Amino acid sequence: EDVVGLPVPISLTAGAFPEIDSIAADGRDVLFFDDPGNALPYERQIYVDGSSAVFNVRVPRFNPRVGGDAVWMYFGSADGVERSNAAAAFPDYASVWHLDSSTTIADARTGGTPANSIGFGGIDISPTTGFLGGGINFVGVNGADGESFAFLQPFNGNNGALVTPPSPPPSSAASYSLIANPRSFSTGGQNGEFTLMLSDLGTPASPCVDGVSICSLFFNDGSFQVFVPNSNGVGLITSGAGVVPLNQFKHESLSWSSSGIQATFDGRTVIDSSVTVNAGFAVGNIVLGMAEQDGNGPFNGVIDEVRISNVPRAASFYRAESKAFAGLLLQRSAVEAGP
């Protein structure tokens, strides 16, 4: 199955790509093309002169099972023109959060307003090393007032790490992916750790098990679980046990529509349900690290690279994205000198 419109992360370091010292100091001389010669939109997420870089390049179509598709990178002929364009690289996304900096946490597509990084109960979140660049360190303390959150945008007064996307995704059909590294699972009465929650802004604080939120959690048996409003009420849908490891960065995704619900973890489909989604609320908050209301445990670990789509995505899309983040989708060829 062809994958369409995937923003592929391309990570360069001086050790693996010594030619990086030939790129202009501001990184603006970099261009990307496909095989027919069409310029590909991209975002320059990170650029440290002569040292490291991360570019997100939107590849229009490829088949990861067939291979043979190529992305060409050109550099070394600086003209000073800024070609990095996150909105063009992520055209059908509600918001993209790289979480690289503690001072400018903002939607990459629009720039947005830099968000506050605030904890709850006296424990602040903190910047840390992420999977690509920086990440956010959540210090979750089960069942206590020592939970930590990232207040990424103004919110409705409830406890939680809330993001208000510039153009909220539809609650009835959308998708997201993120990279998470849990340090521990919650235990006791609160045996699930929230990674991401979408909820209605205009309702009271939501614990997740209701008709105005969509939630994903890691449970202490190592399962990946989601709560989604559906024709049967609020349905808990779960993967098998032992899917989620501790102390490892792993890619997760969730996609839902009236056709069903799919989730992947580390590139594998772990949930494939035909349950009919019945979500009609207006998404006003996107919550990282916990629910708006303390109904399960807060997340204890690092979250990085949150991508929220306005459309549902096939599992093949997220399998390819997982491979891309792991550096397994593209193979580097030799550098060719230009005229």
Side-chain angles (χ1 to χ4, degrees), residues 208-227:
C208 181
V209 187
D210 52 34
V212 290
S213 62
I214 294 172
C215 310
S216 63
L217 308 89
F218 296 154
F219 267 62
N220 59 6
D221 62 353
S223 61
F224 178 29
Q225 304 193 8
V226 298
F227 287 91

Side-chain angles (χ1 to χ4, degrees), residues 56-109:
N56 294 297
V57 183
R58 187 177 190 273
V59 180
R61 182 181 293 271
F62 65 95
N63 190 318
R65 294 185 179 276
V66 175
D69 299 298
V71 173
W72 295 86
M73 174 180 168
Y74 290 78
F75 58 93
S77 180
D79 58 10
V81 176
E82 178 59 273
R83 296 179 177 87
S84 174
N85 187 333
F90 296 93
D92 49 4
Y93 286 74
S95 51
V96 177
W97 305 83
H98 298 311
L99 308 181
D100 288 328
S101 168
S102 62
T103 57
T104 56
I105 300 172
D107 173 39
R109 294 184 68 257

